[in-house]
């Protein structure tokens, strides 16, 4: 029975990265709420909130705490990731939400601690009396010890995966899944196949822009469909000059590049400027020079029924 409970706890254990992501989401939400709140006073006198900024922040965070942890046993970041707090001090094996005292102490440690730290710094900033200086040193010592305790707790969290913050460890509340997670068994063959196709797709995305598709198509067409007739002959030009070899339309300002095919001037000129190694898509002949089609051949082409 005990081994079954251990296996169930191990299966439903919240990942370390999920707990850290929840903390980051909470910080992002606090920054978003504060920025939106300060925008409401954009048209007022500058520095209006500076004097009461710690109190205003504490009120906003207390408002968030009331409708998140106090009522739903989870922060906003935890709710997004399907996580909630559980009373780890309870002897019951089933889920037990944090007690009312734990929630109140959580608000006191997080919200009250931040407010006290900011207010003390503002109070001692412009005080140079010896008594205030000693009090400031005591406050700095306490803050340093708390940060050291947070660092030690974080190292223990990385090893054991429980209590991401020092407040959670002191109050005995830990993160658990709100709904049981379904264990997904993925075979290594499927994973290897997906990784292989993903790498092959990335290789093709890198390789395709380096390939001259037009030149390759011209080479293949010249191998598969051999041309008959002497290149550059007037009869061949008259027969093949009905359409541009690039756009397939009636050639506008027909030109040749040294083979028996005819092109529109703008088609062949733009293709040559885009690719200096441009070749004829029909026969693969390289561009030697752009020559206008003779008028006699044009008239012969027009007279062809």
């Amino acid at each position: 029975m005990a081994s079954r409970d251990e296996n169930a706890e191990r299966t439903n254990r919240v990942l370390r990265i999920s707990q850290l992501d929840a903390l980051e989401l909470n910080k992002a939400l606090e920054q978003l709420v504060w920025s939106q709140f300060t925008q409401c006073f954009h048209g007022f006198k500058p520095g209006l909130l500076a004097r009461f900024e710690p109190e205003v922040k504490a009120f906003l965070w207390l408002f968030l705490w009331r409708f998140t942890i106090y009522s739903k046993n989870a922060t906003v970041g935890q709710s997004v990731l399907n996580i909630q707090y559980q009373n780890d001090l309870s002897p019951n094996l089933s889920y037990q939400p944090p007690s009312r005292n734990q929630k109140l102490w959580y608000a006191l440690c997080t919200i009250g601690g931040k407010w006290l730290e900011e207010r003390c710094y503002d109070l001692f900033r412009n005080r140079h009396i010896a008594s205030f200086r000693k009090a400031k040193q005591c406050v700095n010592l306490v803050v340093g010890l708390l940060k050291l305790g947070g660092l030690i707790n974080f190292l223990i969290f990385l090893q054991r995966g429980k209590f991401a913050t020092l407040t959670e460890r002191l109050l005995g509340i830990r993160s658990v899944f709100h709904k049981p997670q379904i264990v997904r068994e993925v075979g290594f063959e499927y994973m290897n196949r997906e990784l292989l196709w993903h790498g092959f797709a990335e290789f093709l995305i890198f390789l395709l822009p380096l390939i001259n598709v037009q030149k390759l198509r011209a080479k293949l067409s010249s191998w598969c469909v051999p041309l008959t007739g002497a290149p550059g002959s007037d009869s061949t030009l008259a027969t093949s000059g009905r359409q541009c070899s690039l756009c397939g339309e009636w050639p506008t300002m027909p030109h040749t590049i040294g083979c028996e095919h005819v092109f529109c001037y703008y088609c062949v000129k733009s293709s040559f400027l885009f690719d200096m190694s441009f070749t004829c898509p029909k026969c693969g002949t390289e561009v030697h020079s752009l020559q206008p089609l003779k008028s006699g051949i044009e008239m012969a082409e027009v007279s062809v029924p």
Side-chain angles (χ1 to χ4, degrees):
M1 184 68 180
S3 61
R4 183 180 303 176
D5 295 336
E6 292 178 358
N7 293 333
E9 182 181 359
R10 188 175 304 173
T11 303
N12 296 326
R13 182 177 299 175
V14 181
L15 298 177
R16 298 172 177 84
I17 188 63
S18 299
Q19 301 182 49
L20 296 178
D21 286 342
L23 296 177
E24 293 298 326
L25 288 174
N26 295 333
K27 294 178 182 178
L29 175 67
E30 292 179 357
Q31 295 177 359
L32 179 62
V33 171
W34 179 248
S35 63
Q36 294 292 330
F37 183 80
T38 54
Q39 287 294 327
C40 298
F41 298 88
H42 182 70
F44 291 82
K45 182 180 178 180
L48 180 63
L49 296 176
R51 185 178 179 181
F52 306 100
E53 181 175 342
E55 286 75 17
V56 174
K57 283 186 176 180
F59 175 77
L60 290 176
W61 309 156
L62 189 63
F63 182 80
L64 290 177
W65 167 84
R66 172 60 181 83
F67 292 98
T68 54
I69 296 178
Y70 189 81
S71 59
K72 298 182 179 179
N73 304 321
T75 63
V76 177
Q78 290 177 331
S79 300
V80 172
L81 299 176
N82 190 28
I83 302 173
Q84 63 181 356
Y85 279 130
Q86 176 182 347
N87 187 358
D88 200 54
L89 302 179
S90 176
N92 297 332
L93 297 178
S94 60
Y95 171 76
Q96 293 294 329
S99 63
R100 186 171 181 270
N101 292 331
Q102 287 176 324
K103 296 177 182 179
L104 293 176
W105 277 106
Y106 183 90
L108 183 62
C109 293
T110 55
I111 303 174
K114 291 180 181 179
W115 171 82
L116 184 61
E117 181 182 0
E118 294 180 2
R119 182 49 68 190
C120 287
Y121 281 142
D122 292 340
L123 181 62
F124 299 146
R125 183 178 302 171
N126 298 323
R127 300 294 192 277
H128 301 287
I129 306 176
S131 60
F132 283 100
R133 188 176 302 172
K134 292 181 179 180
K136 183 178 180 181
Q137 292 177 356
C138 293
V139 171
N140 291 333
L141 179 61
V142 172
V143 172
L145 291 177
L146 289 176
K147 290 184 178 180
L148 179 61
L151 176 61
I152 297 175
N153 176 80
F154 182 72
L155 296 177
I156 299 175
F157 164 74
L158 293 179
Q159 181 182 8
R160 300 183 180 179
K162 294 173 59 177
F163 307 116
T165 61
L166 183 62
T167 304
E168 296 177 2
R169 185 174 297 276
L170 294 177
L171 297 180
I173 55 177
R174 66 185 181 93
S175 300
V176 295
F177 283 116
H178 179 65
K179 296 179 181 179
Q181 299 294 299
I182 301 176
V183 180
R184 296 179 296 176
E185 296 181 359
V186 181
F188 286 101
E189 295 182 357
Y190 173 79
M191 295 176 62
N192 292 335
R193 184 166 61 249
E194 290 296 322
L195 290 174
L196 178 62
W197 279 110
H198 182 71
F200 183 69
E202 288 187 348
F203 175 73
L204 288 181
I205 293 174
F206 170 77
L207 185 63
L208 286 179
L210 304 179
I211 300 177
N212 192 338
V213 181
Q214 189 176 14
K215 189 173 183 179
L216 181 63
R217 185 175 59 183
K219 287 290 184 182
L220 293 177
S221 61
S222 63
W223 292 342
C224 298
V225 185
L227 296 173
T228 58
S233 61
D234 293 347
S235 59
T236 308
L237 283 173
T239 306
S240 62
R242 295 183 178 181
Q243 62 181 7
C244 173
S245 298
L246 289 174
C247 65
E249 302 294 334
W250 186 273
T252 303
M253 298 175 62
H255 279 65
T256 61
I257 60 174
C259 62
E260 65 272 17
H261 300 104
V262 179
F263 305 87
C264 298
Y265 173 76
Y266 296 105
C267 292
V268 68
K269 188 65 176 180
S270 60
S271 299
F272 179 71
L273 292 176
F274 178 76
D275 183 11
M276 300 301 294
S277 59
F278 172 74
T279 58
C280 177
K282 298 293 185 179
C283 62
T285 303
E286 296 183 356
V287 178
H288 299 291
S289 61
L290 293 179
Q291 299 178 358
L293 196 63
K294 297 180 181 180
S295 59
I297 300 177
E298 291 182 6
M299 294 304 297
E301 170 62 25
V302 172
S303 62
V304 173

